[in-house]
Amino acid sequence: MPDLDLDAINAARDRIRSTYLAPEASRPASSARGLHHVAIVCADVETTVRFYQGLLEFPLTEIFENRDYAGSNHFFFDIGNGNLIAFFDFPGLDVGAYAEVLGGLHHLAISVEPERWERLKAKLDEAGVEYLLESGSSIYLHDPDGTRVELISDPLGEMYGEVVL
């Protein structure tokens, strides 16, 4: 880990919080209606469907041809609360392996009910899927293409006991 000036980092965080974070009572409503979908590239449609629908229990809701690349599929999974994750495959293109890069996707955090979280954890164990258990409420794993996914049992709008929304 690099040598960091934690006092300066904390001071900057405090300055940003006091400058930009409005109290909830005076915070304006968002201009957005919600997350329509997050789009991720995958290598194989069927492998992706088996992982997200079969293992993680996110129903496949639609699949059609990608308008931007003939022969490519654009397909969607329901992650609850009117939100979707979507995938593209690009047959014939070598898109390479997933890479976590500055400005790229770090991980996708998906809230699941605690009972379902326990069931999914057991399914991951049974399937031999490696994961990292963090703080007793987060499971970090990688999908078949290396995308990092977090299954978090905290309610939407909360994280590790903190209200974030």
Side-chain angles (χ1 to χ4, degrees):
M1 187 162 165
D3 199 19
L4 300 174
D5 182 348
L6 295 179
D7 289 335
I9 291 170
N10 290 331
R13 181 183 310 113
D14 290 343
R15 181 188 55 76
I16 292 168
R17 181 182 289 119
S18 67
T19 303
Y20 298 104
L21 183 60
E24 183 179 358
S26 64
R27 195 174 304 150
S30 175
S31 63
R33 292 188 295 194
L35 179 68
H36 189 281
H37 70 275
V38 172
I40 303 168
V41 176
C42 73
D44 181 78
V45 174
E46 194 166 357
T47 298
T48 302
V49 171
R50 283 195 307 262
F51 182 82
Y52 283 95
Q53 180 169 264
L55 186 61
L56 299 185
E57 302 177 3
F58 304 155
L60 179 68
T61 63
E62 186 57 273
I63 182 170
F64 50 80
E65 186 173 52
N66 175 3
R67 68 177 180 222
D68 300 322
Y69 187 83
S72 170
N73 294 288
H74 194 186
F75 54 108
F76 300 82
F77 296 93
D78 179 358
I79 58 169
N81 205 39
N83 297 293
L84 299 164
I85 54 174
F87 289 84
F88 295 102
D89 68 335
F90 291 102
L93 290 183
D94 179 15
V95 295
Y98 172 81
E100 187 177 306
V101 297
L102 187 61
L105 178 68
H106 182 269
H107 71 276
L108 184 63
I110 300 170
S111 177
V112 295
E113 294 290 335
E115 299 79 23
R116 182 163 289 192
W117 185 90
E118 290 290 345
R119 187 173 77 239
L120 293 175
K121 182 178 176 295
K123 285 180 75 172
L124 294 170
D125 288 336
E126 184 178 313
V129 174
E130 291 184 26
Y131 60 84
L132 172 66
L133 184 61
E134 185 65 44
S135 301
S137 63
S138 289
I139 298 171
Y140 290 91
L141 64 144
H142 291 92
D143 80 0
D145 292 300
T147 302
R148 191 181 334 197
V149 177
E150 175 187 5
L151 302 176
I152 184 168
S153 62
D154 291 344
L156 290 171
E158 294 181 23
M159 187 165 176
Y160 307 144
E162 293 286 330
V163 175
V164 296
L165 180 63

